[in-house]
């Protein structure tokens, strides 16, 4: 993806062009197509393009209109034809950024809800003297901001904020969420730097920052058809459109191809689209990962079947979770290497291996199947459907459908009804995080922060009056947002990820159709399987649910027992007052010896955070013990941040 960045100075100050150029140095290696800046008065903006579509080459940013509005735009507008028509503009030859400015001039800040596609932007209103920062409905691009002493900076990448040798204090709220495996949401590891939330825009006016949604993740209104065939046809049309939007022939594309239904369906639909246009069309390249040592992850037979059907063999990369080293990588690559917790020697070597396989094609785009499992009924759970009947007092339908589900799953009817009641109650009155489910080594101060995080999530998700399936869909949406790969940035390259299952038109459809279309008793992925039966190989379409990969991490932890115990014997995280080493050590012994099987994911989080702390010791600010700075980040949905320093 392209890089957008900029600065808004306090009233009365002027930003020199050189300051904008200095910000560009942190990200220039990720944007090989140049650096372009704009500076006027107290506003400065920068654009470093990574061209991934034919339309992106129309851009000449930062873009300024006759009203002195300025925008930097990273992304792709899928509805540019409709926008141009609504705005009475000839779409031929007009860039997406120019359309955004025209939309803003016509609709004001309501324009953000009109932008369909994958995008992030910063827009300065010349007349209103207001800055807008926005991300698309799915957060397919990152966008971070920092407000320090009235000077506001923003950027696609965190590296922009480290172009000066300033030591950054750790954000204690991020530490609490990361170590407890809670959602990260808009947090970053650094105090005072946070992300614009997906599906929202920020309004920055004077010293006030207001957060507003521009897309609703709890869909209103139902789609009801008379037959299954109508649902299948509608889904097939939208899925085809979604893939076509993201798999065009104007740039080298690498599609992830596992043995599962999600990625296979994307690849096969792309082939179907291209061959329909020209039988001899070049098909997208694929990359497949496999691990012969993992008994629950036998992918090779399935992606090989797909390759045989399409007549094209992709790149095969052998990988194993047992290769985790628990050792930080060599820092010789310079700034940006340790920008986010989670990198070790193994992950860096994996990036190098992939570059060796793919470097000759300069792939700038990766197609990912993330979201398909969650949105299309990958888990055969009846609770959302049954809870709808319960809340609407449709007892006859509740008993009938509960019985059908119980017969398919061989579950007692009373148990199913009880689970339905518990599920429905949990949506409207969810329990706060129980301290027993958090790792015992988390400090009490962090436990309190975790409770605050959970309360905010409860307040956001609670929607009295909405059906249980609607609330459940909303929660599912935000859980998907936590899994997107571009949120954990790579080191050697930053490709543009595209997610066909997260297409806004497709998601709006899936969230509004009856739940029983997606999953039925004894039949997960019902709609997907019915609609794609002529496109996806039957071996993949009818494959049983893929097993969860558990053996590799457990083996890696046990093999590296001595390394882990040495690493966590005197953890730096304890010096920062984040964890209790007395509580941590016995837990490490139990997990690394294989006696405790449930908490290994939490232990991996602690290891990742410790490696990150050690790699950044010279770059993180060391404040006084217990020093806490609480501040309101935005006027809607306020959060807290704390500066953390090691103990004396």
């Amino acid at each position: 993806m392209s890089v957008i960045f900029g600065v808004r100075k306090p009233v009365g100050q002027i930003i020199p062009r050189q300051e904008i150029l200095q910000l560009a140095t942190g990200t220039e290696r990720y944007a090989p197509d140049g650096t372009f800046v704009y500076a006027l008065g107290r506003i400065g903006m920068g654009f470093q393009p990574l061209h991934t579509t034919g339309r992106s080459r129309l851009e000449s940013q930062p873009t300024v209109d006759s009203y002195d509005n300025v925008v930097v735009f990273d992304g792709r507008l899928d509805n540019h034809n409709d926008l141009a028509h609504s705005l009475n503009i000839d779409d031929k030859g007009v860039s997406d950024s120019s359309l955004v400015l025209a939309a803003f001039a016509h609709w004001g800040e309501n324009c953000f809800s009109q932008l369909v596609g994958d995008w992030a932007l910063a827009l300065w209103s010349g007349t209103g003297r207001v800055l807008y920062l926005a991300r698309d409905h799915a957060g397919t691009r990152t966008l971070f901001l920092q407000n320090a002493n009235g000077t506001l900076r923003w950027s696609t990448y965190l590296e922009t904020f480290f172009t000066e040798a300033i030591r950054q204090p750790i954000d204690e709220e991020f530490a609490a969420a990361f170590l407890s495996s809670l959602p990260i949401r808009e947090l970053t590891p650094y105090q005072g730097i946070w992300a614009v939330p997906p599906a929202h825009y920020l309004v920055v006016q004077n010293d006030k920052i207001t957060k507003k949604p521009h897309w609703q993740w709890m869909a209103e209104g139902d789609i009801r058809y008379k037959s299954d065939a109508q649902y299948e046809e509608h889904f097939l049309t939208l899925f085809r459109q979604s893939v076509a939007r993201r798999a065009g022939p104007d740039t080298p594309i690498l599609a992830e191809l596992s043995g599962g239904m999600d990625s296979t369906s994307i690849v096969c639909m792309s082939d179907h689209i291209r061959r329909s246009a020209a039988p001899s069309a070049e098909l997208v390249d694929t990359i497949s990962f496999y691990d012969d040592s993992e008994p629950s992850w036998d992918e090779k037979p399935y992606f090989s079947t797909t390759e045989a059907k399409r007549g094209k063999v992709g790149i095969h990369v052998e990988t194993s979770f047992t290769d985790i080293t628990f050792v930080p990588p060599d820092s010789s690559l310079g700034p940006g290497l340790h920008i986010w917790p989670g990198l070790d020697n193994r992950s860096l070597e994996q990036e190098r291996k992939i570059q060796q396989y793919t470097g000759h094609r300069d792939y700038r785009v990766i197609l990912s199947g993330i979201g398909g499992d969650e949105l299309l009924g990958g888990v055969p759970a009846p609770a959302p459907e049954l809870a709808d009947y319960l809340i609407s007092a449709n007892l006859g339908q509740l008993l009938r459908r509960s019985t059908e589900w119980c017969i398919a799953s061989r579950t007692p009817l009373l148990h199913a009804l009880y689970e339905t009641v518990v599920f429905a109650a949990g949506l409207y009155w969810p329990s706060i995080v129980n301290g027993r489910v958090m790792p015992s080594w988390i400090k009490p101060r962090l436990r309190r922060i975790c409770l605050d995080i959970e309360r905010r999530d409860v307040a956001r998700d609670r929607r009295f009056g909405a059906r249980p399936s609607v609330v459940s869909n909303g929660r599912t949406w935000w859980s998907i947002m936590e899994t997107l790969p571009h949120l954990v940035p790579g080191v050697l390259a930053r490709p543009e990820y595209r997610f066909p299952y997260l297409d806004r038109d497709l998601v709006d459809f899936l969230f509004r159709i009856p739940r029983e279309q997606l999953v039925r008793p004894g039949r997960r992925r019902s709609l997907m399987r019915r609609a794609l039966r002529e496109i996806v190989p039957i071996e993949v379409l009818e494959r049983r649910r893929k097993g969860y990969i558990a053996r590799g991490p457990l083996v890696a932890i046990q093999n590296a027992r001595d390394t882990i115990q040495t690493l966590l014997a005197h953890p730096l995280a304890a010096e920062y007052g984040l964890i209790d080493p007395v509580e941590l050590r016995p837990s490490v012994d139990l997990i690394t010896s294989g006696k405790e099987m449930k908490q290994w994911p939490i232990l991996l989080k602690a290891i990742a955070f410790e490696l990150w702390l050690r790699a950044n010791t010279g770059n993180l600010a060391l404040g006084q013990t217990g020093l806490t700075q609480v501040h309101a980040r935005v006027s809607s949905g306020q959060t807290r941040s704390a500066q953390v320093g090691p103990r004396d």
Side-chain angles (χ1 to χ4, degrees):
M1 58 189 184
S2 298
V3 183
I4 60 175
F5 58 93
V7 178
R8 190 212 66 172
K9 291 283 189 179
V11 175
Q13 294 189 23
I14 295 176
I15 181 167
R17 177 184 175 87
Q18 188 59 39
E19 184 174 337
I20 302 298
L21 290 172
Q22 175 64 25
L23 292 179
T25 60
T27 52
E28 57 189 5
R29 64 174 169 168
Y30 301 122
D33 297 328
T35 296
F36 307 90
V37 300
Y38 168 91
L40 182 65
R42 64 186 183 120
I43 280 291
M45 294 192 182
F47 180 63
Q48 294 174 311
L50 179 71
H51 294 303
T52 58
T53 67
R55 286 185 58 81
S56 70
R57 299 185 183 278
L58 299 174
E59 296 291 352
S60 179
Q61 298 190 46
T63 305
V64 186
D65 67 9
S66 58
Y67 302 100
D68 291 330
N69 300 321
V70 190
V71 70
V72 280
F73 176 86
D74 166 37
R76 185 194 69 254
L77 288 182
D78 293 328
N79 65 333
H80 58 86
N81 286 326
D82 294 337
L83 278 175
H85 178 75
S86 299
L87 297 167
N88 296 316
I89 295 175
D90 183 1
D91 186 44
K92 186 177 181 180
V94 64
S95 67
D96 286 349
S97 62
S98 296
L99 278 176
V100 170
L101 286 180
F104 178 75
H106 185 75
W107 290 300
E109 64 184 63
N110 292 327
C111 73
F112 303 125
S113 64
Q114 305 294 322
L115 308 181
V116 178
D118 300 346
W119 53 269
L121 64 83
L123 191 154
W124 170 254
S125 170
T127 55
R129 321 308 288 174
V130 178
L131 176 68
Y132 298 91
L133 301 173
R135 292 171 73 194
D136 66 45
H137 71 292
T140 59
R141 272 91 168 124
T142 49
L143 186 59
F144 304 100
L145 69 150
Q146 178 187 51
N147 192 11
N149 301 320
T151 295
L152 190 140
R153 294 182 175 86
W154 67 88
S155 177
T156 307
Y157 293 139
L158 288 169
E159 282 86 347
T160 302
F161 304 100
F162 304 110
T163 54
E164 299 176 354
I166 299 176
R167 303 171 77 188
Q168 295 288 338
I170 300 171
D171 189 280
E172 192 174 49
E173 196 170 353
F174 173 89
F178 187 91
L179 291 169
S180 300
S181 292
L182 286 176
I184 299 301
R185 305 296 188 219
E186 76 275 16
L187 302 171
T188 79
Y190 310 99
Q191 179 193 328
I193 302 175
W194 68 98
V196 178
H200 288 77
Y201 63 97
L202 301 186
V203 183
V204 185
Q205 188 168 21
N206 299 324
D207 296 328
K208 184 179 180 182
I209 303 178
T210 305
K211 178 175 68 174
K212 299 181 180 181
H214 62 75
W215 177 79
Q216 186 48 250
W217 51 94
M218 290 189 184
E220 298 180 358
D222 296 336
I223 294 176
R224 297 278 179 177
Y225 292 134
K226 295 181 179 180
S227 68
D228 284 354
Q230 291 175 293
Y231 290 105
E232 294 161 18
E233 181 181 358
H234 197 164
F235 167 76
L236 197 60
T237 298
L238 291 177
F239 185 56
R240 178 189 177 105
Q241 173 183 268
S242 175
V243 174
R245 287 170 168 177
R246 291 161 177 80
D250 45 7
T251 193
I253 292 177
L254 189 62
E256 295 176 340
L257 177 62
S258 72
M261 292 175 60
D262 297 327
S263 61
T264 303
S265 298
I266 292 170
V267 170
C268 291
M269 177 57 79
S270 174
D271 292 350
H272 178 73
I273 293 169
R274 294 193 178 197
R275 282 177 169 150
S276 297
S280 60
E282 181 182 0
L283 305 182
V284 295
D285 295 335
T286 61
I287 184 168
S288 303
F289 299 92
Y290 67 95
D291 180 6
D292 289 336
S293 67
E294 182 60 65
S296 64
W297 199 43
D298 191 14
E299 298 295 280
K300 190 180 293 184
Y302 295 97
F303 66 67
S304 296
T305 296
T306 302
E307 290 176 336
K309 180 180 184 295
R310 67 195 304 256
K312 185 173 185 177
V313 177
I315 299 168
H316 299 174
V317 180
E318 185 173 10
T319 184
S320 176
F321 282 84
T322 59
D323 294 335
I324 300 173
T325 64
F326 307 108
V327 174
D330 181 5
S331 60
S332 60
L333 290 178
L337 183 60
H338 302 289
I339 207 75
W340 198 273
L343 189 68
D344 72 345
N345 247 348
R346 177 251 187 186
S347 52
L348 183 57
E349 287 305 315
Q350 184 82 347
E351 279 199 59
R352 287 184 172 132
K353 181 188 293 187
I354 293 173
Q355 270 207 340
Q356 290 174 0
Y357 283 116
T358 63
H360 64 289
R361 284 298 309 273
D362 187 28
Y363 296 107
R364 297 188 173 192
V365 174
I366 294 180
L367 288 181
S368 170
I370 284 179
D373 198 49
E374 296 87 347
L375 296 174
L376 282 156
V379 179
E385 176 192 350
L386 299 181
D388 282 353
Y389 302 136
L390 175 68
I391 295 299
S392 63
N394 190 344
L395 300 183
Q397 189 73 341
L398 172 63
L399 289 174
R400 185 180 72 82
R401 292 291 289 173
S402 296
T403 301
E404 293 175 3
W405 277 100
C406 288
I407 292 173
S409 62
R410 299 180 181 180
T411 303
L413 178 60
L414 287 178
H415 177 76
L417 294 174
Y418 171 77
E419 290 295 323
T420 300
V421 172
V422 171
F423 175 81
L427 290 176
Y428 302 106
W429 297 278
S431 59
I432 301 303
V433 171
N434 189 318
R436 291 175 297 177
V437 304
M438 285 190 285
S440 59
W441 57 79
I442 296 294
K443 282 285 192 177
R445 185 175 73 259
L446 267 63
R447 291 176 183 272
R448 292 192 294 269
I449 292 175
C450 289
L451 292 176
D452 288 341
I453 293 172
E454 187 70 7
R455 289 189 184 102
R456 290 199 302 271
D457 279 353
V458 168
R460 186 203 62 223
D461 291 339
R462 182 178 289 152
R463 189 72 59 90
F464 292 107
R467 295 194 315 274
S469 61
V470 172
V471 179
S472 179
N473 285 340
R475 288 190 171 187
T476 296
W477 181 255
W478 287 104
S479 69
I480 296 172
M481 296 301 95
E482 294 289 312
T483 67
L484 303 186
H486 63 281
L487 301 180
V488 182
V491 175
L492 304 179
R494 302 277 174 89
E496 176 181 301
Y497 281 92
R498 297 178 183 174
F499 311 98
Y501 293 108
L502 304 187
D503 180 89
R504 196 175 96 172
D505 293 333
L506 179 59
V507 172
D508 285 337
F509 168 75
L510 295 175
F511 278 179
R512 293 170 61 197
I513 64 176
R515 176 74 182 177
E516 57 264 30
Q517 281 295 323
L518 299 176
V519 58
R520 293 176 174 176
R523 190 68 170 169
R524 67 184 183 90
R525 304 290 192 103
S526 177
L527 175 61
M528 189 177 190
R529 283 171 159 168
R530 296 183 336 248
L532 297 176
R533 57 184 174 268
E534 301 297 329
I535 295 176
V536 178
I538 193 67
E539 296 89 344
V540 176
L541 207 58
E542 296 299 329
R543 181 185 179 184
R544 297 181 63 185
R545 184 172 172 83
K546 291 163 60 175
Y548 179 67
I549 303 171
R551 177 183 174 276
L554 288 171
V555 171
I557 289 173
Q558 292 171 19
N559 290 343
R561 181 179 183 182
D562 292 342
T563 300
I564 294 172
Q565 289 181 330
T566 299
L567 177 71
L568 298 179
H570 303 285
L572 192 57
E575 295 185 31
Y576 278 81
L578 302 173
I579 65 175
D580 184 346
V582 176
E583 291 284 347
L584 176 62
R585 290 177 192 125
S587 297
V588 171
D589 291 339
L590 289 173
I591 297 170
T592 56
S593 64
K595 297 177 182 178
E596 168 57 62
M597 305 295 289
K598 294 182 179 180
Q599 289 204 0
W600 63 264
I602 296 289
L603 178 62
L604 290 181
K605 287 282 190 176
I607 293 170
F609 199 81
E610 181 67 21
L611 292 175
W612 175 75
L613 283 177
R614 296 191 177 209
N616 285 285
T617 301
N619 301 321
L620 299 174
L622 306 181
Q624 297 177 4
T625 301
L627 177 62
T628 302
Q629 299 174 345
V630 179
H631 61 89
R633 285 181 174 161
V634 292
S635 61
S636 175
Q638 294 182 342
T639 58
R640 298 192 307 170
S641 179
Q643 175 176 323
V644 186
R647 297 189 177 278
D648 295 330

